[in-house]
Amino acid sequence: MESANQDINLNSPNKGLVSDTMTDVPVEGATSSANTMLPTGLTEEESEELRIELSKVEEEIHTLRQVLSAKERHANELKRKLGLSPLNELKQNLTKGWQDVQTSNAFVKTTEKFGEWNEKVTSSDLYLSASATLEDISRSEAYKKTQETLSQAGQKTSAALSTVGTAISRRIGDMRNSATFKSFEDKVGNIKFKVVGGNGNGEGVRSPTEPIPVQDKAPL
């Protein structure tokens, strides 16, 4: 403040002149706002044009989103009327995807490569030698005899099982017709007769061995 007062003093030889310190004071909002508002390398007119264009693009994006949402709702309604469930749609997508895979270059090349490997393996000396060995074994007498022996053993086993079943059934029939089995049945019937006793009408329960009486014919 002393330097400023000295310059304002009428007796000073520098009266009427602005001091250097006063010219260095920046004016607020004069240059800072201009530097912060405008991007580097753009004028104010170019910046305003870009802002207007950005606003239009954002508005178009919003409109397109609304149109897309309406189209999706319409598509879902058509699918519902056609009976296309999400599961059927998934199956169709999987089928189409598999068809695309089969027709792709990678799949075709892989299939061709496997075919070449198969041809190389089947035409190799080791594969031909192994095939010839198996064919020789199948034609050999030892193989034929072994096969015949196994076949005969299977037939004999089936026949033996059938014979055993028949013998058991016959043995059970013989036991039921034997005197011992019939005597056992009579004893069981007598025991039942003694335990049960007579019925409510006063008639006794017949023994299993007692003959059934023949009723006389009713008088005319």
Side-chain angles (χ1 to χ4, degrees):
M1 294 299 295
E2 293 179 358
S3 60
N5 292 331
Q6 289 176 359
D7 292 340
I8 297 173
N9 191 358
L10 296 177
N11 296 326
S12 175
N14 296 326
K15 61 182 179 180
L17 299 178
V18 180
S19 63
D20 296 336
T21 58
M22 293 297 293
T23 57
D24 294 337
V25 177
V27 179
E28 295 182 358
T31 58
S32 61
S33 60
N35 293 331
T36 56
M37 294 297 294
L38 296 177
T40 305
L42 293 177
T43 62
E44 187 175 356
E45 291 79 7
E46 293 174 346
S47 178
E48 185 66 22
E49 290 178 359
L50 292 177
R51 290 193 186 95
I52 294 173
E53 185 177 359
L54 176 60
S55 178
K56 290 181 179 179
V57 172
E58 289 179 347
E59 185 177 357
E60 290 176 357
I61 291 173
H62 181 68
T63 303
L64 290 174
R65 285 177 178 172
Q66 291 180 345
V67 173
L68 179 61
S69 178
K71 293 290 185 183
E72 288 178 348
R73 288 195 297 270
H74 185 58
N76 292 331
E77 183 67 18
L78 293 176
K79 290 178 181 179
R80 185 185 64 80
K81 292 180 179 180
L82 292 173
L84 298 176
S85 62
L87 181 60
N88 293 333
E89 189 175 358
L90 177 61
K91 290 180 179 179
Q92 292 177 359
N93 293 334
L94 291 175
T95 303
K96 186 178 180 301
W98 176 242
Q99 291 176 354
D100 294 339
V101 169
Q102 288 179 330
T103 57
S104 62
N105 293 330
F107 185 85
V108 173
K109 290 181 180 180
T110 304
T111 305
E112 292 177 353
K113 198 67 177 178
F114 277 118
E116 292 177 359
W117 290 346
N118 186 29
E119 186 177 357
K120 289 180 181 179
V121 170
T122 54
S123 60
S124 63
D125 295 336
L126 180 61
Y127 181 85
L128 294 176
S129 177
S131 300
T133 302
L134 291 175
E135 187 175 359
D136 293 339
I137 291 174
S138 62
R139 292 179 179 178
S140 62
E141 294 296 331
Y143 178 82
K144 291 180 179 180
K145 289 182 179 180
T146 302
Q147 192 174 13
E148 291 176 358
T149 302
L150 292 176
S151 178
Q152 292 175 0
Q155 293 176 359
K156 290 180 180 179
T157 302
S158 300
L161 292 176
S162 178
T163 303
V164 170
T166 304
I168 292 175
S169 300
R170 186 180 301 170
R171 183 62 177 171
I172 292 174
D174 295 340
M175 288 176 61
R176 290 180 64 88
N177 295 327
S178 63
T180 304
F181 190 83
K182 289 183 178 181
S183 176
F184 177 75
E185 283 185 340
D186 293 340
K187 291 179 180 179
V188 171
N190 293 328
I191 293 173
K192 182 179 179 181
F193 174 78
K194 292 178 181 180
V195 172
V196 175
N199 54 17
N201 296 328
E203 297 179 356
V205 178
R206 298 185 183 89
S207 174
T209 58
E210 181 181 353
I212 299 173
V214 179
Q215 296 180 355
D216 297 334
K217 294 183 181 181
L220 295 175

